[in-house]
Amino acid sequence: MPPPDHSNVVSITHLRQTCRSCSLRELCLPLGLDNDDMQKLEDIVHSRGPIRPGEHLFREGDSFHALYAVKTGALKTYTIDNQGREHVLGFHLGGELVGLDGIHSGHNRCNAVALQNATVCAVPFSRLEQLSREVPGLQAQILRVMSREISASAQLATEHSADERLAGFLLSLSRRFRRRGLVANLITLPMPRRDIASHLRLATETVSRLFARFQEEGLVAVRRRDVEILDLPALEKLGEALDLDGDGRSRRSPQTR
Amino acid sequence: MPPPDHSNVVSITHLRQTCRSCSLRELCLPLGLDNDDMQKLEDIVHSRGPIRPGEHLFREGDSFHALYAVKTGALKTYTIDNQGREHVLGFHLGGELVGLDGIHSGHNRCNAVALQNATVCAVPFSRLEQLSREVPGLQAQILRVMSREISASAQLATEHSADERLAGFLLSLSRRFRRRGLVANLITLPMPRRDIASHLRLATETVSRLFARFQEEGLVAVRRRDVEILDLPALEKLGEALDLDGDGRSRRSPQTR
DNA sequence: TCTGTTAATTGATCTGGATCAATTCTGGCC
DNA sequence: GGCCAGAATTGATCCAGATCAATTAACAGA
């Protein structure tokens, strides 16, 4: 069942953006840049918004010309398969990039739609490529972000059972909330159960039942979209903790070699 | 059940490599470079091999310092979860890169092991970063390859049922064989059923039964590791055809907008 | 050629999660 | 407040694929 076609792709006033004063500069492309280099980045970036819930930032098949960094709100990316079913590929919160999968083919490979009121920065890709040649720190950050995305999808692939997947999902959100300076154990889910289910390849009912079970077992307290993590270690035991900002050893016991 | 620890990480004679005479130059990092630039790439690349089946190229947790391009043979990457189960993340054939997921943390996030006798080119990452600033075509190719990896994992995530996943897997292999100039409908699987099963999150027995069913239905002819694709359209209908070298529109019917 | 070993197949059974089917909640709107 | 539509929960049943258990095939080494 394809989702309702809310509206066409958003097209809003383009405003200059100042990375230097952005609260997300430590998680986003500017990470590691000095003031001068950050200004060069600002010069190619445009702010866009607001995008209303249900409005699309881009659609599958559109020609690719920019990456988008989420400033506020949240987006999801999804595809529609040849049988008309929707598959949620991922969720994008403040400081995260959308559209990386479009680079190689020159066309966007998924749809990106706002879950809440959102604002984003558009980064024209050809100018970003050019600038990243001049600014090594920027080039390094782009590669890091893409590499992290590859790691993260490998992570999702290793979680087999339904409870592992939901636990891993909650941990991932928690970590991303913490990165943004929010309380890590108080999550407000920006998406409905249906989208969580689609992303984790589960039925909505299963997600609902798992939330109930996790609550019974004292792992979390759930009320609608609000989730409080009560027993982090137990959750981590279920869905492996993959700390994508760590040193790559967090998942293994100390090695003896 | 963790796999037997065959041996330590491989460490073999380092030989200069000539990308210009490499038959894989049109699929690998040199794609799109002119002769001069290709020579610059050669100057930082070392050839390594042979790596015997079961020998590791690197292990999870090792500090990351190089990407590897497969020249001959095939590798798999995998992780061991906190319950000791192996999860196969992917397979790497001639012309493909291994190790991209290690960039962001500075440590390899998975193990890489040879499935068959293999030779690889080691590309020291810091020198690659540096060179890609001077050689725009190289920078572009790295980003394309990483973007393609992100797309591919999204693809795997959208295939739900067991037959969709196996069909998608066969199509992906077929496409990669064709890229290397081999016959696209005659595949020799470089990996055992167990690894296919782990990669697709299925039981070995299920993979075996699916091969039998596909054969019954006339989709393929299977004999041990040799698979002949007999009915490509039917296979594509099952596992969506995602042509990662195409224009991004291959999965959608022509758009009317 | 036989023999041990691992890979693959095939069969029988079991179960986690999907599906179908009602309710119940919640927030927006009159 | 009362009413409505979509979101979420809860219950009953079903089935795809896992698991358990043999059996057969391929192959390396003696």
Side-chain angles (χ1 to χ4, degrees), chain A residues 71-199:
Chain A
K71 282 171 67 180
T72 60
L75 302 169
K76 75 171 176 187
T77 48
Y78 68 93
T79 57
I80 305 291
D81 70 18
N82 53 20
Q83 286 160 70
R85 296 172 303 191
E86 174 181 336
H87 300 274
V88 172
L89 302 180
F91 303 104
H92 302 268
L93 312 181
E96 299 173 352
L97 290 184
V98 193
L100 293 169
D101 55 352
I103 293 174
H104 80 276
S105 67
H107 291 267
N108 285 311
R109 316 230 34 140
C110 60
N111 304 278
V113 65
L115 292 164
Q116 309 167 316
N117 281 322
T119 52
V120 301
C121 293
V123 192
F125 183 66
S126 57
R127 304 190 67 180
L128 180 65
E129 269 190 304
Q130 197 187 337
L131 183 59
S132 73
R133 260 171 251 140
E134 299 167 28
V135 179
L138 180 60
Q139 183 199 39
Q141 176 63 357
I142 294 168
L143 294 176
R144 273 197 300 269
V145 168
M146 294 187 80
S147 172
R148 190 165 63 193
E149 185 116 343
I150 292 170
S151 273
S153 58
Q155 173 65 4
L156 183 59
T158 66
E159 282 151 356
H160 282 201
S161 65
D163 49 7
E164 287 172 21
R165 293 218 284 273
L166 186 61
F169 174 71
L170 290 176
L171 289 170
S172 154
L173 276 187
S174 164
R175 223 170 285 117
R176 288 146 79 190
F177 270 57
R178 191 178 55 212
R179 263 165 59 88
R180 289 189 293 150
L182 303 176
V183 195
N185 64 332
L186 283 175
I187 300 170
T188 296
L189 304 171
M191 74 296 282
R193 300 286 191 269
R194 180 171 34 87
D195 286 342
I196 299 176
S198 169
H199 180 51

Side-chain angles (χ1 to χ4, degrees), chain B residues 15-36:
Chain B
L15 298 170
R16 280 281 156 206
Q17 177 52 22
T18 66
C19 295
R20 284 169 296 179
S21 64
C22 179
S23 68
L24 298 170
R25 66 182 179 283
E26 290 305 319
L27 340 163
C28 190
L29 283 178
L31 176 59
L33 303 192
D34 62 27
N35 241 338
D36 276 7

Side-chain angles (χ1 to χ4, degrees), chain A:
Chain A
M1 56 230 70
D5 190 331
H6 295 284
S7 71
N8 214 320
V9 168
V10 71
S11 169
I12 314 193
T13 47
H14 292 33
L15 300 169
R16 280 280 158 207
Q17 177 52 21
T18 65
C19 296
R20 284 168 296 179
S21 64
C22 179
S23 68
L24 298 170
R25 66 182 178 282
E26 290 305 318
L27 340 162
C28 190
L29 282 179
L31 175 59
L33 303 192
D34 63 27
N35 241 338
D36 276 5
D37 289 339
M38 231 182 273
Q39 183 160 14
K40 288 181 191 160
L41 181 56
E42 286 168 17
D43 288 345
I44 69 169
V45 166
H46 295 270
S47 180
R48 277 207 195 173
I51 310 172
R52 310 248 159 246
E55 269 185 315
H56 279 75
L57 182 58
F58 55 75
R59 288 178 187 273
E60 185 173 353
D62 288 353
S63 86
F64 167 83
H65 43 76
L67 297 174
Y68 300 91
V70 181
K71 282 171 67 180
T72 60
L75 302 169
K76 75 171 176 187
T77 48
Y78 68 93
T79 57
I80 305 291
D81 70 18
N82 53 20
Q83 286 160 70
R85 296 172 303 191
E86 174 181 336
H87 300 274
V88 172
L89 302 180
F91 303 104
H92 302 268
L93 312 181
E96 299 173 352
L97 290 184
V98 193
L100 293 169
D101 55 352
I103 293 174
H104 80 276
S105 67
H107 291 267
N108 285 311
R109 316 230 34 140
C110 60
N111 304 278
V113 65
L115 292 164
Q116 309 167 316
N117 281 322
T119 52
V120 301
C121 293
V123 192
F125 183 66
S126 57
R127 304 190 67 180
L128 180 65
E129 269 190 304
Q130 197 187 337
L131 183 59
S132 73
R133 260 171 251 140
E134 299 167 28
V135 179
L138 180 60
Q139 183 199 39
Q141 176 63 357
I142 294 168
L143 294 176
R144 273 197 300 269
V145 168
M146 294 187 80
S147 172
R148 190 165 63 193
E149 185 116 343
I150 292 170
S151 273
S153 58
Q155 173 65 4
L156 183 59
T158 66
E159 282 151 356
H160 282 201
S161 65
D163 49 7
E164 287 172 21
R165 293 218 284 273
L166 186 61
F169 174 71
L170 290 176
L171 289 170
S172 154
L173 276 187
S174 164
R175 223 170 285 117
R176 288 146 79 190
F177 270 57
R178 191 178 55 212
R179 263 165 59 88
R180 289 189 293 150
L182 303 176
V183 195
N185 64 332
L186 283 175
I187 300 170
T188 296
L189 304 171
M191 74 296 282
R193 300 286 191 269
R194 180 171 34 87
D195 286 342
I196 299 176
S198 169
H199 180 51
L200 302 178
R201 282 168 267 117
L202 297 171
T204 320
E205 295 92 328
T206 303
V207 171
S208 187
R209 279 185 252 265
L210 281 173
F211 272 127
R213 210 189 79 201
F214 282 6
Q215 174 147 284
E216 247 173 53
E217 293 170 345
L219 302 188
V220 297
V222 189
R223 203 186 120 68
R224 218 61 181 166
R225 300 278 184 101
D226 293 312
V227 179
E228 180 180 4
I229 294 180
L230 298 174
D231 189 346
L232 189 65
L235 265 189
E236 283 175 341
K237 205 181 154 194
L238 266 182
E240 322 218 336
L242 169 54
D243 187 346
L244 290 171
D245 291 317
D247 64 359
R249 288 174 177 274
S250 62
R251 301 163 67 192
R252 310 288 300 271
S253 41
Q255 299 194 342
T256 53
R257 196 159 44 73

